[in-house]
Amino acid sequence: MKDKKAWSGRFSESTNPLVEQFNASVGFDKRLYRHDIQGSIAHATMLGRQKIIAVNHARKIVKGLKRIMKEIETGQLQLSVADEDIHMAVEKRLIEIVGAEIGGKLHTGRSRNDQVATTFRMYVRDLTDEIIHLIRQLQRALYKQAKQHIDTIAPAYTHMQPAQPIRLAHWFLAYYEMLDRDTSRFEDSRKRLNTAPLGSAALAGANFPLDRKWVAKQLGFDTVTKNSVDAVSDRDFAAEFLFATSMTATHLSRLAEELIIFTTMEFGVMELPDAFCTGSSIMPQKKNPDVPELIRGKTGRINGALVAMLTMLKGLPLAYNKDMQEDKEPVFDSGDQIRVMLRLAAEMVANIKIHPGKMANRAEEGFTTAVDITDKLVMAGAPFRDAHRIVGRLTRVCIDNNMRFSELPRAEAFNIDPRLPEIMKNSVGAAGSTNMKDVIGGTARRRIASRLKQMEKEMAKWRI
Amino acid sequence: MKDKKAWSGRFSESTNPLVEQFNASVGFDKRLYRHDIQGSIAHATMLGRQKIIAVNHARKIVKGLKRIMKEIETGQLQLSVADEDIHMAVEKRLIEIVGAEIGGKLHTGRSRNDQVATTFRMYVRDLTDEIIHLIRQLQRALYKQAKQHIDTIAPAYTHMQPAQPIRLAHWFLAYYEMLDRDTSRFEDSRKRLNTAPLGSAALAGANFPLDRKWVAKQLGFDTVTKNSVDAVSDRDFAAEFLFATSMTATHLSRLAEELIIFTTMEFGVMELPDAFCTGSSIMPQKKNPDVPELIRGKTGRINGALVAMLTMLKGLPLAYNKDMQEDKEPVFDSGDQIRVMLRLAAEMVANIKIHPGKMANRAEEGFTTAVDITDKLVMAGAPFRDAHRIVGRLTRVCIDNNMRFSELPRAEAFNIDPRLPEIMKNSVGAAGSTNMKDVIGGTARRRIASRLKQMEKEMAKWRI
Amino acid sequence: MKDKKAWSGRFSESTNPLVEQFNASVGFDKRLYRHDIQGSIAHATMLGRQKIIAVNHARKIVKGLKRIMKEIETGQLQLSVADEDIHMAVEKRLIEIVGAEIGGKLHTGRSRNDQVATTFRMYVRDLTDEIIHLIRQLQRALYKQAKQHIDTIAPAYTHMQPAQPIRLAHWFLAYYEMLDRDTSRFEDSRKRLNTAPLGSAALAGANFPLDRKWVAKQLGFDTVTKNSVDAVSDRDFAAEFLFATSMTATHLSRLAEELIIFTTMEFGVMELPDAFCTGSSIMPQKKNPDVPELIRGKTGRINGALVAMLTMLKGLPLAYNKDMQEDKEPVFDSGDQIRVMLRLAAEMVANIKIHPGKMANRAEEGFTTAVDITDKLVMAGAPFRDAHRIVGRLTRVCIDNNMRFSELPRAEAFNIDPRLPEIMKNSVGAAGSTNMKDVIGGTARRRIASRLKQMEKEMAKWRI
Amino acid sequence: MKDKKAWSGRFSESTNPLVEQFNASVGFDKRLYRHDIQGSIAHATMLGRQKIIAVNHARKIVKGLKRIMKEIETGQLQLSVADEDIHMAVEKRLIEIVGAEIGGKLHTGRSRNDQVATTFRMYVRDLTDEIIHLIRQLQRALYKQAKQHIDTIAPAYTHMQPAQPIRLAHWFLAYYEMLDRDTSRFEDSRKRLNTAPLGSAALAGANFPLDRKWVAKQLGFDTVTKNSVDAVSDRDFAAEFLFATSMTATHLSRLAEELIIFTTMEFGVMELPDAFCTGSSIMPQKKNPDVPELIRGKTGRINGALVAMLTMLKGLPLAYNKDMQEDKEPVFDSGDQIRVMLRLAAEMVANIKIHPGKMANRAEEGFTTAVDITDKLVMAGAPFRDAHRIVGRLTRVCIDNNMRFSELPRAEAFNIDPRLPEIMKNSVGAAGSTNMKDVIGGTARRRIASRLKQMEKEMAKWRI
């Protein structure tokens, strides 16, 4: 019989070649080879320990599997579409090596359904750990820049209009906090995924006295799944991974947008190193912020992967359906993209050039201390809403006369409100303004310094 | 001056009326009135405690705010587009009640940016708690059905083809497990959101010596945010809430799909109570599963809300931008939808009629014990892959002769493999088959019973 | 009998009240009342013409329907959740007015399935026409600004870096072209939607000799649907409408982003009129571009509606399923949003203030004529790639010496390439540079003027 | 100088290698090589015709380009990441072949911005044509099945409950109509995309007297773009292509869902050929409908690609930004997926086995002629709503007594309504019922036959 598919016994026609190609996942799931083989080694060892298969058979299987691992790593073993998926490919090769009688025993008490679910979880777990590590690197870069720029005064924006002066450190640290939530989200997601489905078999549980907990422990899982039907149907972990990735990409897209704007000729307060830019094929003067642009653009693709997964899962009956083969590529692609995005973001942050003078100057422009004058009026007894209106009028007058606050004649200020001249005389400059924000989370120098200290403690505890 | 906007001091033209309507959020954010007023009460009280405003002023403000709460609850206070948003509306009314001098002091040391962020987080927190409660109700309904149907044998499907017999309890419990992950996801999301931004002011932190921690505690927050720029820019909590909701909706859509299929005339193993169905305006015989269909359909809308939020946030510079006003409606709508979906799913699960006889019959059809014969061959010494092929051929022969396994003559079985007749003589029926799945998470009766016991302990600990 | 649902004959339990509320669409589909009644009038008239019902019955029905139209328009008729949907509500009221014997005949030969599909298509058609009209208004505003700014020289950007000088008219007209594709897309979508499903009944076609074409013509449809099963299952027109809306919103979001950036203090080449901005509750100096920000933000919601629709339709079996009740709200909401977005965009474009001097100055900065020098080198015989490299070096030298091209000493230019001094002597300024782009679609003055002429002819032909 | 990037003249640092890899698109855009070279050949030829470069230089360039085409096709030319993109790779190789002096002239009067836009449009155009062709193939298969099954009576469903009998042909043709809209949508999208941007250069238009129309005609474009800024910023055509693909995938997902359900053991009215199914690694009896499942699942990925594109474009300033490099992969992937999905759908439809007896039987069950009895009551003078209620009661009685309509004793029928016995005596069976639907688009035999005739004429006109 020509057709060698493992499940072909019941079939009278062989598979249509286009169908074979359509169904085959080996083209992309070969990435899982390491985790698949690790899973099989643990399974086979356990089968031996439990006397389900002979111990020396288990040993031969394990030896064979280790050889296959090397063959794949060294490129000796070529995988083809006819192998359907990585799991079949490995088993087929195992049978070539150790013979059908022994090799055929590896699949005892398991199904591709629980095998795939286990392997994929292991992959996503490692990917998650790597991403957490890369986020940490970016957080470290932000921390370092913050430390260096605690005395750089910068304008902070709302609606892209200068709002208030801050210390540049504070801006860097805003991204640190976002990324801290990201790691926390990946960690929570990891916690839910790190449960071993192996032993659930096709969907009802295995017929053999497997030691599920032992296998789970070997493979680094925290525990085993509690319902075999759910265990083979569940792809929550993939969707949740994709969401966590989307959230991180969203944060990077915000950083990218700001870098693109701050490095324009018009803003000009930051500069990207040449190594992160490219030129134009026709405009030799251009220095294009390609890296942040591409980071921003790739956010779309990462969100698209999340939509792909959620749409695929919508309305899907239990337990396994072939639709679920579409679970891997979005994870692979989003994983690839976010890793390089994080790596480049970290290098970019580490190497960005700041123009502190220009920045400080901008921070003084645009009436950014208006809130402070308002609050001083309040401290002097004005109800907040009145004070707000007074400073609104003050600003209007200054704009109409094309002056900064400090340039307005006393008399004119007095006309607006008699308290103003005194308040404006001692008017805080931008740096002074920042130090007035002396609350937890505020941009006052001492508050930032204290947050940096906290961070050092936090960073010391990071395990990855 | 006609234009009464709080920020109008600086402007020389008044707002275009279409713009006013476009900008106004009061039409939808009036939902936040309770949380807004609670937040203001805590803020005002703290301002008094910190001597930032006079204690008797603080008291009057608090009294005024409580009155406004009642006015809104009783429908006395009507809100209009001219009020811009709920926060302005409340403050305007406060000033009417206590006068501008005192009322104007409420906004001391805060900005709408931190006020909105605080209020919205409180709303999402309460919504999260309610959803967790509703998920728990659905889990309880599933648990009860499982308890009742531990001895109902059902076919389980993969690819919508009967795969193996399970106990119906096992199917109900699969959904219990999914929903358990959902609550865990909402709890994690709640943990990240329950951090108070109040005190971050516009973006740089407040100019007054606020006691942020005291306010946070009053409002039930675990802690305060650590960076004021991040605090007013962050809408992660809304996106994460929407994702958790999408995941839950996805689970409900899978349950809905199965109920729709299982209650068709053709499957006919379950029946929805009339109270959950509607008829046709033209086909009087119809009994349409409207509720599960609508649950399935609404999953699209809930996923759409997640996309709306992520798209809005993509590439948004810090700190606050008006785009972020689009953060509330997706949360409101998804919250409304998921609550009624959960409530109806719980009632549906509680009231579904099962036809155990029909189900058991189906579980025997379709060669669903093929795996068990395969595994018995393996136990008898056959390599798994060989056994698989033998049973494949056995099935082919039975199909060609339109027989069940039990109907095949011994001789024919012997022809396929000499070991078969003996194995098939003692061949497990569907119930026996389930009890062979005696591993953790398997569908064996004792394993399900033990999981039900565990659940009772889990349920006893649920606080919501 | 208490339960009055039209389809209640077959049911032994009455509907669960929460289910009733969940199923009811009257809360939102009441918007369709006008189209529903128009459809019913045409249907009833045809039933009379075809002698399917008595002509005088048809007349009474039509009279009753016209009365209901007025009752709804004047707010006399209140609709409640118990009415289920607008179609049932109208019919119930009709029966109150003309009696059950006559009123009951309106539904002859039709089902809610074809009725809803017809009504909804009519609604989307009118909405489409209104949107096309609003896009045209925006195009007119762009055309007018272009006409006014044909001699305003502006920097054009790639990667947000100044690339080349253009005439500002050219920038306005870029958006005109995008919007022209948008109208074309809405027109194509309208063509596909304008096909009448009425007569398809529940799904198999009507049992009565309806004159489908006559009804279709009365209701402004181009033709009738060709397959009754498809006719009641099809919601392509809603999805396509949502996509066309997403595309338009995307264009508006790009315009919005540019306006936000160009009106920053740092760019400062444009200014939004006060009427389109709002202030800050705490920062009196702020003038926030709320309108473009909200336009940009609402793009997320509009894309979300498209995802909602596509997700809902995915994997839905034929013919009608209750999931499809989720078809209307995304269309209603996206329709509402895009209309106000377009209206405001048109007013904003019409009222935007340009600072031509600042713009022209920027257009001269940033080495934006580098391409022109390059091309002149090419015209002087240099291979393009060489010329590109020469001008690259020229730019580098100028940057290092903080000079414009025009400020570089001849000798230095000669050192870079002997041909440069001559070329740079006659070096085009920004305006001259634009006129060198003398190809179709180029920014040369005469090309823009010619495009404006063409547009006048196009606009004269617009019917809406 | 080591760094050979075409734009490197202005740069003092060389590109970071990770950046180089991140920026490079050659890994995926090499697919465009054929269209890129065709575009370059037309451009070079025109440069010669216009005397912008020497005619013999143009000839040498063309010859060189043709050689490169062959080198790529035969695998002789290997592309590497260092080549950045396919356009640079081709040009670099051209310079190797014809020398820098001549080869460097190819890029005269164009920029990568207009070059990429042109090439990509050509690719999407060819892809569109191929997809239209494949949709046509599927429509042909549906037509053939319809022709063969005009006398097969089938149950049609709403809410997955049997609603009315139809002719199976009618079901096949419902999909034909959907796909007809799909081709129409692709054709409209093609019309908008088939406009040549070449000549727009970087964004402002070319400095040389290009003959844009001549080039456009050579490359099969209908016309040239009218605004150079728009021309390089526009990716509408890619988004519209992705939407048209999503709509088609949605239709295929509906077909897939129905095939999965109709081929279950429980429905059992259709059977997929073995060649389109696979088995289980553990359950030898399974015959899984992998192909329709994967078609359904891939719809998620295709919708995800649309979201990716729209998200990427949202809020993107004009003209070119690097984000736009993310435009190709979604198109490539969705194009690949939909092509194989269509091909397999056509083969599946052509080879599906129908069980007409079982189908006809089902069509008689479930009271599917209730509408017809209702309508006969109406024809006998009953108001529709009364008739509906009478038949509702009739159905209830039959269900309670477990009878079909035909089995109900006359007396019982008379009790419900005196007109019923007479009407039910001549009660139409399922086939008769279908022929009562004698309206355009109805399922009556003669209406289907007439639609099939129309289709033959339509198919004769298809050019692809």
Side-chain angles (χ1 to χ4, degrees), chain D residues 359-411:
Chain D
M359 228 172 206
N361 202 35
R362 290 251 190 262
E364 302 278 355
E365 283 171 18
F367 309 101
T368 54
T369 56
V371 177
D372 306 312
I373 301 175
T374 309
D375 283 347
K376 292 215 159 169
L377 278 164
V378 169
M379 291 170 198
F384 173 78
R385 286 296 176 208
D386 287 356
H388 186 277
R389 220 166 259 125
I390 292 163
V391 182
R393 243 167 293 135
L394 170 69
T395 311
R396 183 81 253 156
V397 170
C398 288
I399 289 172
D400 290 348
N401 294 287
N402 199 19
M403 290 171 176
R404 292 190 178 191
F405 285 149
S406 55
E407 297 163 354
L408 190 76
R410 270 185 79 92

Side-chain angles (χ1 to χ4, degrees), chain B residues 157-159 266 286 293, chain D residues 157-159 257 266 286 293:
Chain B
Y157 297 82
T158 59
H159 310 264
E266 288 79 0
K286 297 294 297 294
E293 287 177 297
Chain D
Y157 297 82
T158 59
H159 310 264
E257 171 89 358
E266 288 78 0
K286 295 294 295 294
E293 288 178 297

Side-chain angles (χ1 to χ4, degrees), chain A residues 317-335:
Chain A
L318 307 185
Y320 184 83
N321 300 277
K322 188 75 169 183
D323 313 55
M324 288 160 75
Q325 184 168 302
E326 290 290 305
D327 59 354
K328 283 174 210 72
E329 282 165 291
V331 167
F332 292 167
D333 188 61
S334 286

Side-chain angles (χ1 to χ4, degrees), chain A residues 128 132 178-192 240-241 243-248 251, chain B residues 188-189 191-192 234-237 239-240 243:
Chain A
T128 299
I132 292 174
M178 287 179 221
L179 292 162
D180 225 45
R181 285 193 297 279
D182 288 335
T183 48
S184 151
R185 219 172 277 116
F186 275 109
E187 279 161 3
D188 285 344
S189 156
R190 188 193 195 284
K191 179 183 75 189
R192 267 181 290 279
E240 191 169 355
F241 169 83
F243 170 70
T245 306
S246 276
M247 209 69 247
T248 301
H251 293 150
Chain B
D188 286 343
S189 155
K191 181 183 72 189
R192 267 180 290 277
D234 171 24
R235 290 299 183 272
D236 288 13
F237 63 93
E240 191 169 355
F243 170 70

Side-chain angles (χ1 to χ4, degrees), chain B residues 214-227:
Chain B
W214 188 88
V215 174
K217 208 177 157 191
Q218 298 306 304
L219 299 173
F221 285 101
D222 298 331
T223 181
V224 298
T225 54
K226 291 175 186 150
N227 182 294

Side-chain angles (χ1 to χ4, degrees), chain D residues 26-209:
Chain D
V26 73
F28 53 85
D29 68 16
K30 62 186 170 202
R31 281 203 193 208
L32 302 175
Y33 78 93
R34 201 156 33 85
H35 300 102
D36 180 68
I37 293 175
Q38 284 167 358
S40 288
I41 287 173
H43 182 67
T45 309
M46 181 274 293
L47 290 177
R49 278 173 56 102
Q50 296 290 99
K51 318 282 180 222
I52 298 166
I53 66 173
V55 175
N56 68 322
H57 286 181
R59 276 203 205 108
K60 277 183 191 157
I61 288 171
V62 169
K63 213 177 138 196
L65 288 167
K66 286 182 178 167
R67 180 171 147 193
I68 297 170
M69 178 94 82
K70 268 194 208 120
E71 288 179 353
I72 298 179
E73 269 160 7
T74 57
Q76 279 177 270
L77 183 59
Q78 293 298 322
L79 306 165
S80 88
V81 160
D83 292 322
E84 205 169 332
D85 62 27
I86 183 65
H87 320 289
M88 288 306 210
V90 167
E91 194 175 330
K92 201 182 77 178
R93 178 73 188 121
L94 180 69
I95 285 171
E96 284 171 16
I97 295 173
V98 303
E101 212 199 309
I102 295 175
K105 290 186 174 169
L106 169 60
H107 213 53
T108 310
R110 82 177 180 189
S111 153
R112 246 190 308 178
N113 292 353
D114 58 343
Q115 183 186 0
V116 168
T118 304
T119 305
F120 191 27
R121 281 172 186 252
M122 288 168 68
Y123 179 89
V124 179
R125 186 180 63 197
D126 284 1
L127 185 56
T128 299
D129 288 343
E130 193 183 342
I131 290 169
I132 292 175
H133 171 71
L134 292 169
I135 295 178
R136 293 314 197 189
Q137 295 296 88
L138 175 52
Q139 285 182 288
R140 281 192 184 95
L142 290 160
Y143 160 83
K144 273 183 205 158
Q145 284 284 21
K147 194 142 190 187
Q148 205 152 0
H149 288 288
I150 192 165
D151 287 319
T152 304
I153 303 300
Y157 297 82
T158 59
H159 310 264
M160 282 316 293
Q161 302 284 323
Q164 296 190 299
I166 57 167
R167 291 171 179 274
L168 186 56
H170 207 53
W171 178 80
F172 281 116
L173 295 186
Y175 285 99
Y176 179 101
E177 304 293 351
M178 288 180 219
L179 292 162
D180 226 44
R181 285 193 297 279
D182 288 335
T183 49
S184 150
R185 219 171 276 116
F186 276 109
E187 279 161 4
D188 285 344
S189 156
R190 186 192 196 285
K191 181 183 72 189
R192 267 180 290 278
L193 89 76
N194 203 25
T195 304
L198 208 61
S200 304
L203 64 78
N207 276 329
F208 298 86

Side-chain angles (χ1 to χ4, degrees), chain C residues 7 43 84 91 124 250 262 264 294 400 419-420 437-438:
Chain C
W7 39 259
H43 182 66
E84 206 168 329
E91 194 175 332
V124 179
T250 299
F262 293 161
T264 55
L294 212 39
D400 290 347
R419 287 164 293 191
L420 274 181
K437 275 80 190 168
D438 191 11

